[in-house]
Amino acid sequence: IDKDVLDTQVKDRKIQEAAEKARNEELANEMKQNDKIMCMLEERQKNDIRNINKAISEFQKNFQKPETRREFDLSDPQALKKDRPARLSDSDPRCTVSGLQKFMGEDLNYDQRMKFQKEQLREWSLQQQRDWKNALANQKFADDLYDKNRIELDQKTMAQQRKEEENRRAVCAATKDFNRTQAAELAERKKLEKYQKMKDDMDEISSLLRGDLLSENPEQAVSSFGRHRVITDRWKGMNQDQLMAIRYTQQQQVLEKLRLKEEERRKDAEWDRQSIQAARAQLLLERHQQRQNRERRRALDNLNAELSQEQKSKNIYLKEEAYSNFPTDQYYAQFNTTSR
């Protein structure tokens, strides 16, 4: 096992882990910063919405009261208490035509009515101007507050970004220095490896030139199990003595093979001769047996003819002489005469 290579691999692995850890920490810090910025933006938006709602509520509370509305008299709960009698005087504006209390064309309160209307219009105009000025003032105050908060948040964000940029530059500088050191070490290691490889190659070439393989030394092929055995990957071939011995052995083998073939041929001829003699003897024996069988058959036929003639003569005797008389009563009376 090459310990230097293992140490180098372990060192490279640690370097990779350190770089990965630094990158992960940088990403984590960036994510934290982004979260902070998002939180600050959300908080600023909430504050803006809260301030706007508060300003609207204040404006409605101060300048949009229910009693200032034109149609408030239609839903005023104190309308009956505030209501006046049906008629206060002849100049009462509530005296309509249908009441037959005031007729068209009289207009006795024209000057007073016109003065009142002008005064009322002036009051309405002044009230609208005051409402508009107050609304503008509130809007300006809200805008100023929003701008102030936004400027503060932007300043904090820029400061945080500058800090992150400085940290990033420091990390990049450290990484560059580390990479430069690693590159120098790698170049030096490659140089040493190249020198060692060249030295090993030269040693190997020198060993091969001086070795038994290229010099074709026959002793290198001798096996440790005996000189009659060789190592096949080192054997360079046989010498002339070995070749002559092999050729002589081959000639002896050829002569021995011819002798064996001649001996086998003689054996085959002897076997053929003996087979022919055995077949001839077998044929003679079969012919002798056939003659004996014919003689025995002829004698048996003669014997059977004599026996047949005797059988015929006996049958004629029995039929004509022995069985020609019938039994009498005296013959039957001799049976069943005792208790046995």
Side-chain angles (χ1 to χ4, degrees):
I1 299 174
D2 194 349
K3 187 175 182 299
D4 295 335
V5 175
L6 294 177
D7 294 338
T8 304
Q9 292 178 355
V10 171
K11 188 175 181 181
D12 294 339
R13 181 63 180 175
K14 290 182 179 179
I15 292 169
Q16 292 178 359
E17 291 178 354
E20 185 70 20
K21 184 177 180 181
R23 185 165 59 254
N24 293 333
E25 290 179 355
E26 183 179 356
L27 292 175
N29 294 328
E30 186 174 356
M31 291 176 65
K32 290 180 180 179
Q33 183 61 31
N34 293 331
D35 293 338
K36 290 181 181 179
I37 293 172
M38 289 298 297
C39 292
M40 294 173 68
L41 292 175
E42 290 179 357
E43 187 66 24
R44 183 174 66 180
Q45 185 178 6
K46 290 180 181 179
N47 292 330
D48 294 340
I49 294 172
R50 190 183 301 110
N51 293 329
I52 292 172
N53 293 331
K54 184 177 180 181
I56 292 172
S57 299
E58 290 292 335
F59 180 79
Q60 291 177 352
K61 181 178 179 181
N62 296 327
F63 304 104
Q64 292 183 353
K65 296 180 180 180
E67 56 270 15
T68 60
R69 298 176 184 175
R70 295 181 181 180
E71 65 275 6
F72 178 72
D73 57 343
L74 299 177
S75 60
D76 188 5
Q78 304 294 331
L80 296 177
K81 293 181 179 181
K82 296 178 181 179
D83 195 10
R84 293 178 294 176
R87 180 176 179 181
L88 296 177
S89 62
D90 293 338
S91 61
D92 192 350
R94 296 177 300 164
C95 295
T96 60
V97 177
S98 61
L100 299 177
Q101 296 179 4
K102 185 178 179 180
F103 297 96
M104 295 296 294
E106 294 182 0
D107 197 10
L108 300 176
N109 298 323
Y110 175 77
D111 296 335
Q112 186 178 0
R113 179 174 57 79
M114 292 300 295
K115 184 179 180 180
F116 177 76
Q117 289 179 355
K118 290 179 180 180
E119 185 66 23
Q120 188 177 16
L121 289 174
R122 189 177 67 82
E123 289 293 334
W124 285 353
S125 178
L126 293 175
Q127 183 65 32
Q128 289 179 355
Q129 291 178 4
R130 287 194 298 270
D131 294 342
W132 180 251
K133 289 180 180 180
N134 292 330
L136 291 176
N138 292 330
Q139 184 65 31
K140 183 178 180 182
F141 176 76
D143 293 340
D144 294 338
L145 183 61
Y146 175 77
D147 293 337
K148 182 179 179 181
N149 293 331
R150 186 179 62 185
I151 291 170
E152 292 178 357
L153 182 61
D154 292 340
Q155 290 177 354
K156 292 180 180 179
T157 304
M158 291 177 65
Q160 186 67 26
Q161 289 179 353
R162 285 195 298 270
K163 185 177 179 180
E164 289 180 357
E165 187 67 24
E166 292 175 357
N167 294 332
R168 191 179 295 107
R169 289 196 188 96
V171 171
C172 291
T175 304
K176 288 181 180 179
D177 294 338
F178 178 76
N179 292 334
R180 193 179 297 108
T181 304
Q182 290 296 317
E185 292 179 357
L186 181 61
E188 185 65 23
R189 186 166 60 254
K190 287 184 177 179
K191 183 178 179 181
L192 293 176
E193 290 177 355
K194 183 178 180 181
Y195 174 76
Q196 185 65 32
K197 186 175 183 301
M198 290 178 62
K199 184 178 179 181
D200 294 340
D201 293 340
M202 293 300 295
D203 293 340
E204 184 178 0
I205 292 171
S206 177
S207 177
L208 290 174
L209 291 175
R210 296 187 181 91
D212 295 334
L213 180 63
L214 297 179
S215 62
E216 297 185 357
N217 185 7
E219 295 297 329
Q220 66 173 346
V222 177
S223 176
S224 60
F225 296 101
R227 298 189 64 83
H228 64 284
R229 301 180 65 177
V230 296
I231 302 174
T232 56
D233 58 345
R234 301 179 185 177
W235 189 53
K236 299 298 181 178
M238 295 182 293
N239 52 26
Q240 293 296 327
D241 295 336
Q242 292 175 343
L243 293 174
M244 292 298 294
I246 291 174
R247 293 192 184 98
Y248 177 76
T249 303
Q250 290 177 348
Q251 291 177 359
Q252 294 297 324
Q253 290 176 353
V254 170
L255 295 176
E256 181 67 19
K257 188 174 182 180
L258 293 174
R259 187 184 64 78
L260 293 175
K261 285 184 178 180
E262 182 64 23
E263 185 177 354
E264 186 177 0
R265 187 183 62 77
R266 289 197 301 270
K267 288 182 180 180
D268 292 340
E270 182 65 23
W271 276 106
D272 293 339
R273 187 181 62 78
Q274 291 180 3
S275 298
I276 292 171
Q277 291 179 357
R280 187 178 298 170
Q282 182 69 23
L283 181 60
L284 294 175
L285 180 61
E286 289 178 355
R287 290 177 180 178
H288 179 67
Q289 289 180 353
Q290 289 177 359
R291 285 194 298 270
Q292 289 180 353
N293 290 332
R294 283 196 298 270
E295 291 177 357
R296 284 195 297 270
R297 183 67 180 175
R298 190 179 297 112
L300 183 62
D301 291 340
N302 294 330
L303 180 61
N304 289 333
E306 293 176 357
L307 292 175
S308 177
Q309 189 64 32
E310 291 178 358
Q311 183 70 25
K312 288 180 179 179
S313 299
K314 186 177 180 180
N315 289 333
I316 292 171
Y317 170 76
L318 291 175
K319 183 177 180 181
E320 293 180 355
E321 295 182 6
Y323 300 143
S324 62
N325 297 326
F326 293 98
T328 61
D329 295 335
Q330 185 179 359
Y331 173 75
Y332 292 109
Q334 63 182 348
F335 299 103
N336 296 327
T337 58
T338 63
S339 60
R340 292 181 64 185

